[in-house]
């Protein structure tokens, strides 16, 4: 005698659906795994977006997110466009109801005007640490800056300045 357990679609992912990072061309979202998988293993998450600036309905944004993760980056956004997002869990029985973001965002870089005074202070501080560093160490620091903040513009300016310092053009 075998008992057959019924399976169903999973519950929606648990909220809130949060914005972890917003740029002019992408957004990174995070959520919590569903409370119930419907009796069948979660096979993926699906993220959809809706353009509120130009109108239109929900469209696929990321069609597959590995189920072991509870975050993903949505690429190919148009800078200056207002979006909202939703994520659903999928198992072999189908797709869950979606978890929606609580408020829309505008795709734009989150650092405003470039602060040259702050940058100068940063460079002066880094000069003290760079005395004994080699180029490999500098590239490692740049990768950490890019991963932690995503401020590509600042990282490029810093990298150019470090290159000039290493050449002796900045004292």
């Amino acid at each position: 005698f075998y008992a057959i357990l019924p399976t169903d679609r999973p519950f929606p992912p648990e909220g809130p659906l949060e914005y972890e990072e917003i740029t002019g061309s992408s957004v990174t979202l995070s959520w919590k795994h569903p409370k119930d998988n419907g009796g069948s293993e979660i096979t993926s998450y699906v993220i959809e977006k809706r353009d509120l600036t130009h109108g239109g309905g929900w469209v696929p944004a990321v069609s597959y997110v590995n189920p072991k993760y509870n975050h993903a980056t949505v690429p190919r956004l148009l800078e200056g466009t207002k979006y909202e997002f939703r994520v659903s869990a999928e198992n072999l029985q189908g797709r869950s109801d979606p978890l929606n973001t609580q408020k829309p965002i505008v795709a734009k870089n989150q650092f405003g005007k470039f602060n040259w005074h702050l940058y100068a202070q940063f460079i002066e501080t880094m000069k003290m640490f760079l005395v004994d560093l080699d180029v490999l160490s500098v590239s490692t620091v740049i990768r950490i800056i890019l991963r932690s903040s995503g401020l590509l513009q600042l990282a490029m300016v810093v990298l150019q300045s470090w290159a000039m310092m290493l050449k002796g053009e900045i004292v």
Side-chain angles (χ1 to χ4, degrees):
F1 171 73
Y2 291 97
I4 298 176
L5 297 174
T7 57
D8 199 358
R9 299 180 311 135
F11 281 27
E14 285 289 300
L17 180 52
E18 296 185 310
Y19 300 109
E20 298 296 331
E21 183 177 18
I22 301 166
T23 73
S25 61
S26 69
V27 63
T28 300
L29 301 167
S30 68
W31 59 91
K32 295 180 183 82
H33 298 290
K35 281 187 177 173
D36 188 319
N37 65 9
S40 178
E41 189 175 322
I42 302 292
T43 56
S44 71
Y45 292 102
V46 175
I47 300 174
E48 297 173 294
K49 65 183 177 183
R50 182 162 54 181
D51 179 337
L52 299 175
T53 301
H54 305 102
W58 290 103
V59 296
V62 178
S63 57
Y64 175 82
V65 177
N66 188 316
K68 69 181 177 183
Y69 299 119
N70 63 339
H71 62 276
T73 299
V74 176
R76 295 180 299 282
L77 302 180
L78 298 174
E79 188 159 10
T81 301
K82 184 187 276 190
Y83 293 97
E84 61 183 345
F85 300 89
R86 65 186 188 184
V87 62
S88 301
E90 287 189 333
N91 67 11
L92 293 176
Q93 304 306 312
R95 187 179 291 184
S96 72
D97 291 336
L99 168 66
N100 290 53
T101 49
Q102 295 175 345
K103 61 182 182 185
I105 54 98
V106 175
K108 66 178 183 176
N109 292 319
Q110 297 304 298
F111 51 92
K113 294 177 83 174
F114 193 77
N115 185 331
W116 286 104
H117 178 71
L118 186 62
Y119 169 71
Q121 286 180 328
F122 176 74
I123 290 299
E124 288 304 313
T125 304
M126 290 310 296
K127 277 185 190 179
M128 292 186 285
F129 294 108
L130 288 176
V131 172
D132 296 322
L133 294 180
D134 58 17
V135 175
L136 180 61
S137 298
V138 171
S139 68
T140 301
V141 171
I142 288 293
R143 280 197 300 277
I144 291 167
I145 290 171
L146 287 173
R147 257 190 249 124
S148 63
S149 65
L151 300 179
L152 182 59
Q153 178 184 2
L154 175 61
M156 291 307 296
V157 173
V158 170
L159 182 60
Q160 290 167 353
S161 298
W162 280 339
M164 291 169 60
M165 283 188 329
L166 292 172
K167 292 181 193 173
E169 297 173 18
I170 297 178
V171 185

